Amino acid sequence: MPIDPSAAIAPTARVHPDASIGPGVRVGEFCVIESDVRIGVGCRLEPYVYIKRWTTLGEHNEISAGTVLGTDPLDKNFSGARSYLKIGNGNKIREHFTISRGTGPESATEIGDGNFIMTSGHIAHNCKVGNRTVIASCVLLGGYVEIEDQAFLSGGVLVHQFSKIGRLAMVSGNTRVNLDAPPFFTYSGFEIAPKGLNLVGLKRAGYGAPDVGILKRAYRILYRSNLKLEEALVRIETEIPTPETRHLVAFVKRSQRGICRC
């Protein structure tokens, strides 16, 4: 599909003829858009945005100045084969952020919907970011990291490759995440450690006092009961089975790096 007639392209921008630019898109001064790029309805690119090939943006994304999307992976094993960056709808990606495409042939880095990604950080190859997350300034995600919906990563958080952060988890600033962080809880410290429930995030997500009380009990069983991990999971499953606690248990069970539990 060519550039839609309703799109506004700045005169200094460079858009490859094989790129697809949807209705209502605004492309700022000195942007570069390579071939095999698709930009959906109503996206806005501020000046100096660079979108590399095999990148797809959904609808109504806002990309701020100096951002580079679809960069080659920072991976010595990268062969140059075709891979992808797939970004959903309604995301805000602020200044000077970089996101790489996948390493393996036909693999992808995937960003969901409604995420707020702040300044001067990096999302590496093959990461999977869910929906409505907040990724603050100077956050660095290593390869194959997974961030579930509504997680909050504060400024300067470093996430080791293959690590996972659960839904509605909150990680405090400058924390090094080298183990999986289960959902609904808060974490801090240079060596990531659990600190309690993400009460602010849960309240904003609409959880009431009864739900929060159940998750507090799950936290105490998992982190304060001195039970072995397997025993703690069995207690949570049998004593307080709710959709949230089942999600928590499933997250822990599929962890390959192990969860932080100190």
Side-chain angles (χ1 to χ4, degrees), residues 19-215:
S20 171
I21 311 296
V25 171
R26 300 179 65 86
V27 178
E29 300 287 351
F30 302 102
C31 289
V32 176
I33 301 173
E34 294 186 346
S35 63
D36 304 301
V37 169
R38 297 182 64 86
I39 300 178
V41 174
C43 289
R44 186 180 70 190
L45 277 57
E46 292 184 359
Y48 297 99
V49 170
Y50 189 175
I51 302 183
K52 304 193 74 173
R53 68 183 311 187
W54 299 312
T55 297
T56 300
L57 276 69
E59 300 181 356
H60 303 292
N61 294 290
E62 300 178 15
I63 314 298
S64 292
T67 295
V68 186
L69 303 178
T71 64
D72 288 352
L74 305 176
D75 185 341
K76 290 183 177 180
N77 295 319
F78 179 59
S79 67
R82 182 175 65 182
S83 61
Y84 306 97
L85 169 60
K86 300 178 181 180
I87 296 176
N89 305 313
N91 297 287
K92 293 184 179 181
I93 304 177
R94 296 298 301 270
E95 293 83 358
H96 305 290
F97 210 92
T98 59
I99 307 179
S100 294
R101 57 193 177 98
T103 287
E106 302 302 311
S107 70
T109 302
E110 300 177 16
I111 311 294
D113 302 330
N115 298 290
F116 185 17
I117 299 173
M118 299 185 193
T119 60
S120 304
H122 179 65
I123 295 175
H125 58 88
N126 301 96
C127 286
K128 297 186 185 301
V129 176
N131 305 311
R132 303 184 305 283
T133 69
V134 176
I135 297 176
S137 296
C138 302
V139 168
L140 304 177
L141 304 186
Y144 299 96
V145 163
E146 295 183 18
I147 309 295
E148 292 188 341
D149 295 351
Q150 298 171 280
F152 192 113
L153 277 61
S154 304
V157 168
L158 309 176
V159 186
H160 191 281
Q161 61 184 354
F162 295 102
S163 297
K164 297 177 176 61
I165 296 176
R167 179 161 66 93
L168 279 166
M170 179 176 180
V171 183
S172 297
N174 296 321
T175 297
R176 184 182 70 159
V177 181
N178 59 350
L179 295 167
D180 293 347
F184 309 116
F185 305 144
T186 61
Y187 304 90
S188 66
F190 179 74
E191 299 287 348
I192 184 172
K195 298 298 181 180
L197 263 65
N198 179 13
L199 294 173
V200 173
L202 289 165
K203 182 178 180 180
R204 289 174 177 171
Y207 286 89
D211 297 316
V212 171
I214 290 172
L215 288 171

Side-chain angles (χ1 to χ4, degrees), residues 215-256:
L215 288 171
K216 283 184 178 179
R217 186 175 173 191
Y219 180 88
R220 288 195 294 267
I221 294 171
L222 184 61
Y223 289 115
R224 300 292 181 258
S225 65
N226 293 320
L227 293 172
K228 293 182 179 179
L229 181 59
E230 295 77 9
E231 295 171 346
L233 296 180
V234 169
R235 277 195 60 185
I236 293 170
E237 285 182 302
T238 56
E239 296 180 11
I240 44 173
T242 68
E244 288 72 29
T245 58
R246 284 192 287 268
H247 178 74
L248 169 63
V249 170
F251 181 97
V252 174
K253 285 184 175 180
R254 68 172 179 268
S255 173
Q256 296 181 332

